[in-house]
Amino acid sequence: EVIAALVTDLGLTAFWVAVGDTMLAWAIGLAIAVVAALVLGLVIGVSPFLRRFTNSSIEFLRPIPSVALIPLAVLLFGIKIESSLLLIVYACFWQVLIQVLYGVADVDNVAMQTARSYGFSYVQRVRDVVFPTMLPYLMTGIRLAAAVALILAITAELLIGTPGLGKEIALAQSGGAISGMYALILATGFLGVAINGVTRVVEKRVLSWHPSVRGEATV
């Protein structure tokens, strides 16, 4: 019954509109989080003072679950897409920021000193020394954040009522359409698998030069 309901949903315009709403919130929230975390991570990571100064704040804010911000999101934005974005950006930001900080910390100090001795500017050191070392960590953070973004998008739609698959699941549940509800849940599962598959493909293409990826290709 669930499979039949899912096949029926695939032919409905309303289903694809809901998928589009969910993916729109997912994409915008993930993009904002990645850009913000990348910029702040590079600024903080290359400065030992900023790393020490912000460490306690990061460790305090990072464990706060995004769902705890639901009352604030509803108060500020109501049931608009901005409410979903607040939750998505907050959750994904930390996933990416921590990975960027780890990546910057992994930069070879000898390479940095060599770049300085050759007169590399700050921008050149970040571009040619820091960024290549940090990139594998960044891609891992994006892959993890992509899954978290979908989870938070669906959660916001379920609990707040913003447009998307989560809202349709809640409506199906309240209307007693059990098969339809599980069909939509199954659809979110397939969506998550697709997102994970796409991010892994992108990660391998972006890191095709990295020894770990070349090793996988050889095997």
Side-chain angles (χ1 to χ4, degrees), residues 97-113:
L97 178 66
I98 297 302
Q99 290 295 324
V100 171
L101 292 177
Y102 283 151
V104 175
D106 197 38
V107 173
D108 186 4
N109 187 53
V110 174
M112 286 293 289
Q113 296 300 328

Side-chain angles (χ1 to χ4, degrees), residues 114-201:
T114 302
R116 286 193 180 94
S117 67
Y118 275 95
F120 279 31
S121 66
Y122 175 83
V123 174
Q124 287 177 314
R125 292 198 301 271
V126 170
R127 182 190 64 194
D128 299 329
V129 181
V130 176
F131 192 77
T133 303
M134 179 270 300
L135 187 57
Y137 292 87
L138 174 63
M139 295 307 301
T140 298
I142 292 175
R143 176 163 50 82
L144 296 174
V148 172
L150 180 63
I151 294 171
L152 267 299
I154 300 296
T155 301
E157 293 158 4
L158 274 168
L159 300 181
I160 299 176
T162 54
L165 284 172
K167 181 179 180 180
E168 297 302 316
I169 292 172
L171 291 175
Q173 181 188 23
S174 61
I178 304 302
S179 297
M181 179 190 72
Y182 281 112
L184 292 170
I185 293 173
L186 193 60
T188 62
F190 286 133
L191 198 58
V193 171
I195 288 174
N196 185 66
V198 170
T199 54
R200 284 188 175 277
V201 170

Side-chain angles (χ1 to χ4, degrees), residues 197-210:
V198 170
T199 54
R200 284 188 175 277
V201 170
V202 172
E203 183 179 19
K204 286 186 177 181
R205 287 186 177 275
V206 172
L207 299 177
S208 58
W209 53 272
H210 197 266

